Amino acid sequence: MDHTIQYGTAAAGLISILVVYLALRRRRTVRSIPGPASPSWLFGNMLQLYLSPTYGNYEFDWQRIYGPFYRIKGCFGQDRLMISDPVSLQYILNSPHFKFGPTLENAIHLLYGIDSIIGVKEEDHKRIRAALNIGFTAAAVRNYIPVFEKAAHTIMAIASSQSRVQIIADAIGARLPGWLWRAAIYLPTATCKAIRTAKRLADEVGIQVLREKRAAVEQGLDINTDLYGQLLNLHRSDKTKHTLTEAELVAQTAIMMIAGQDTTANTLAFGLVELAKAPEFQDKLRTEILSTLSASGGGSVSYDNMPLLNAFIKESLRMFPAEAVTDRVAVEDVVIPLTDSLITTTGERISHIPVPKGQNMTLAIASYQRLESRWGEDAQEFKPSRWLDGPTFKGEAVGPYANLLSFLGGPRMCLGWRFAIMEMQVFVCELVGKFAFTLPEGDSTRARLATTLLPTTSNGQKGALICAKRVM
Ligand SMILES: *[C@@H]1O[C@H](CO)[C@@H](O)[C@H](O)[C@H]1NC(C)=O
């Protein structure tokens, strides 16, 4: 009896030693992954990552030197993994062992709310996703074309502002309990005020849209021509588990407005700058657009059968993903696979990376989409023709569209990806059909801005500047 207890204690002791040993080994492995030196304990490599004069100055160089899986430092000396390896990314995006990193989660809750599709917990996510999905199928999206065609007038570039203060505030915020962070939204700073206004406006818009839809139904009008109409109609005709209540629909408005509009507009704005730099391609694209439009004779346009248009859209999404990076954290100890093995700073060759629970990582989408081993040596060039000349990439396919991760991938991939592509197809046809885009002459600031990914202007705003001249 006594012996059994002693053996039991000894076994328990050995097991805890083993657990601690394995945890330490995982941390040591992460620490031994090569990566750039950190210029500061406070900021780590974060200023280089987020505030370089043109996006990716450091990041794309690091990728060239250390490959698609390396280590950087976050704020306060913590290790972060930078991941652009397609096999690792595919694994992480499809695995239940990762969730949004703390900073990203805070931002999502503030901006979109905890009832939004990306804010809610797992089971609710599946239900809301299934319900919203009805409005995002290929058939449903086709119903929205006339509305897009009418609305295709303005392009708005998101005014996102990163600063030293914001980076450190995010790092501190990530360590605070959620309730305290949510309370911080009431601070009288400009950023908090802007977020409060955006969220309030979104809720107001949601309520207003639903009110209009109900009125339209009462007048016997067809409301199936947009997402809210379709979803409301479903809820009215069939109150089963796959429909959303009106309150739930309103809660999705912020995400539709911000995630669903500014992202597409941003990618497109940068695509148009490239178009301004390539007048020959622009002319060919315009010819394709005008001949397709005239062949349709005012009827439905077959946007999917326009090779130059779709090559241009794919290349814009590849070079200028709306989200250049996103954060994840491991919710338990996990082993991440690699495409090719790497050599640690201790000289070990490893093909799988064991990471401890709580490990923070950056999914480097923009880097992945410029990975030379994947896209070829001209990966840094804007070249729509790559989508026309046969195979575009090497390796296993990822993401829902064109092997791009602009819409992420896995069970939480962007629900609206078909919507976004349709929106871009319609907008590009309208814009390039009617306007010629050129770079402003003799203005070096603008010319420099026009060559960068998410350029930052002197007042901290991101945006692109080009000239448009009416041609039709
Ligand atoms: C991950 O980030 C959070 C928030 O910044 C931090 O508290 C935590 O210590 C980090 N984890 C690791 C393993 O560095």
Side-chain angles (χ1 to χ4, degrees):
M1 186 69 178
D2 272 352
H3 277 100
T4 325
I5 293 174
Q6 274 171 16
Y7 287 140
T9 318
L14 277 178
I15 289 172
S16 14
I17 291 172
L18 190 67
V19 166
V20 171
Y21 167 77
L22 287 176
L24 286 177
R25 210 176 61 166
R26 279 171 189 271
R27 267 187 210 289
R28 219 173 33 231
T29 308
V30 168
R31 218 169 299 142
S32 75
I33 292 171
S38 164
S40 115
W41 176 82
L42 184 58
F43 288 108
N45 300 101
M46 293 291 115
L47 297 182
Q48 296 170 324
L49 183 60
Y50 290 118
L51 293 186
S52 66
T54 60
Y55 185 88
N57 272 7
Y58 290 90
E59 189 186 332
F60 299 149
D61 279 350
W62 292 335
Q63 169 160 278
R64 219 167 287 128
I65 301 168
Y66 303 105
F69 199 110
Y70 56 93
R71 184 195 43 75
I72 59 171
K73 288 282 184 188
C75 293
F76 314 118
Q78 56 162 277
D79 288 309
R80 287 192 76 83
L81 295 173
M82 278 293 282
I83 306 175
S84 52
D85 182 316
V87 169
S88 317
L89 290 172
Q90 179 83 330
Y91 177 76
I92 294 168
L93 290 170
N94 283 284
S95 158
H97 305 314
F98 302 87
K99 60 172 193 157
F100 296 136
T103 305
L104 182 61
E105 187 160 59
N106 284 336
I108 286 170
H109 286 171
L110 284 188
L111 201 52
Y112 302 134
I114 45 175
D115 302 324
S116 71
I117 178 163
I118 59 171
V120 292
K121 292 265 181 296
E122 214 47 54
E123 315 129 41
D124 279 339
H125 175 84
K126 285 212 186 87
R127 187 178 58 82
I128 294 183
R129 191 174 184 95
L132 284 178
N133 213 0
I134 296 161
F136 286 110
T137 60
V141 166
R142 240 171 278 134
N143 281 339
Y144 311 142
I145 295 180
V147 180
F148 282 155
E149 288 177 340
K150 254 189 269 163
H153 295 310
T154 42
I155 286 217
M156 180 177 63
I158 196 169
S160 130
S161 50
Q162 269 293 2
S163 67
R164 297 165 84 86
V165 176
Q166 195 61 47
I167 287 174
I168 208 73
D170 283 346
I172 294 171
R175 284 147 198 270
L176 298 177
W179 62 268
L180 190 58
W181 174 262
R182 281 192 290 280
I185 189 68
Y186 297 104
L187 289 174
T189 67
T191 308
C192 289
K193 220 157 133 191
I195 293 176
R196 282 202 302 272
T197 312
K199 183 77 177 68
R200 198 194 63 233
L201 281 179
D203 289 345
E204 281 173 16
V205 168
I207 291 167
Q208 171 73 20
V209 168
L210 285 187
R211 197 182 299 137
E212 285 169 10
K213 295 291 161 202
R214 276 196 302 268
V217 172
E218 271 153 33
Q219 291 170 23
L221 297 173
D222 177 18
I223 59 168
N224 265 338
T225 51
D226 68 31
L227 178 65
Y228 279 76
Q230 289 216 353
L231 293 174
L232 186 65
N233 236 0
L234 275 167
H235 184 62
R236 294 170 66 91
S237 58
D238 171 15
K239 290 195 174 49
T240 61
K241 56 184 176 355
H242 277 324
T243 63
L244 293 183
T245 64
E246 296 195 7
E248 281 177 323
L249 254 179
V250 170
Q252 310 309 321
T253 312
I255 192 155
M256 301 292 169
M257 286 174 66
I258 300 164
Q261 265 186 22
D262 292 358
T263 48
T264 319
N266 238 353
T267 294
L268 213 49
F270 289 101
L272 290 176
V273 173
E274 294 300 325
L275 214 50
K277 292 195 284 188
E280 262 175 52
F281 178 77
Q282 190 183 150
D283 286 343
K284 282 192 204 148
L285 176 60
R286 187 170 300 107
T287 307
E288 180 184 271
I289 292 169
L290 296 179
S291 69
T292 311
L293 290 182
S294 76
S296 77
S300 70
V301 180
S302 46
Y303 293 103
D304 289 339
N305 297 333
M306 302 174 70
L308 296 182
L309 173 71
N310 292 297
F312 169 68
I313 289 173
K314 286 173 189 167
E315 190 66 347
S316 302
L317 283 166
R318 185 184 73 85
M319 290 288 279
F320 312 110
E323 245 191 326
V325 286
T326 185
D327 286 0
R328 291 293 184 274
V329 58
V331 289
E332 51 197 290
D333 289 354
V334 60
V335 177
I336 304 177
L338 298 175
T339 304
D340 296 311
S341 55
L342 62 80
I343 296 175
T344 64
T345 51
T346 54
E348 217 183 320
R349 177 178 282 279
I350 47 178
S351 60
H352 286 77
I353 315 282
V355 303
K357 176 180 175 179
Q359 177 63 50
N360 297 300
M361 53 198 82
T362 297
L363 310 190
I365 297 164
S367 283
Y368 156 72
Q369 292 181 173
R370 294 173 183 225
L371 197 57
E372 288 179 13
S373 56
R374 180 90 174 166
W375 304 95
E377 277 171 19
D378 56 3
Q380 293 281 353
E381 279 170 55
F382 188 90
K383 229 174 114 181
S385 66
R386 77 175 73 245
W387 299 97
L388 304 167
D389 315 332
T392 336
F393 73 102
K394 295 191 197 81
E396 208 188 316
V398 300
Y401 180 71
N403 301 300
L404 298 171
L405 288 177
S406 309
F407 303 112
L408 290 168
R412 282 201 171 225
M413 81 184 167
C414 173
L415 183 67
W417 69 269
R418 283 197 194 86
F419 187 90
I421 288 165
M422 179 69 73
E423 199 175 10
M424 292 209 266
Q425 288 172 329
V426 173
F427 268 70
V428 174
C429 281
E430 289 288 317
L431 286 170
V432 179
K434 292 199 175 73
F435 297 92
F437 294 93
T438 49
L439 287 181
E441 264 169 54
D443 182 336
S444 62
T445 319
R446 288 183 181 213
R448 184 179 62 78
L449 280 174
T451 61
T452 62
L453 174 67
L454 297 187
T456 309
T457 56
S458 53
N459 60 7
Q461 296 219 323
K462 286 169 180 167
L465 302 151
I466 43 171
C467 305
K469 207 174 91 208
R470 186 131 192 147
V471 292
M472 288 246 332

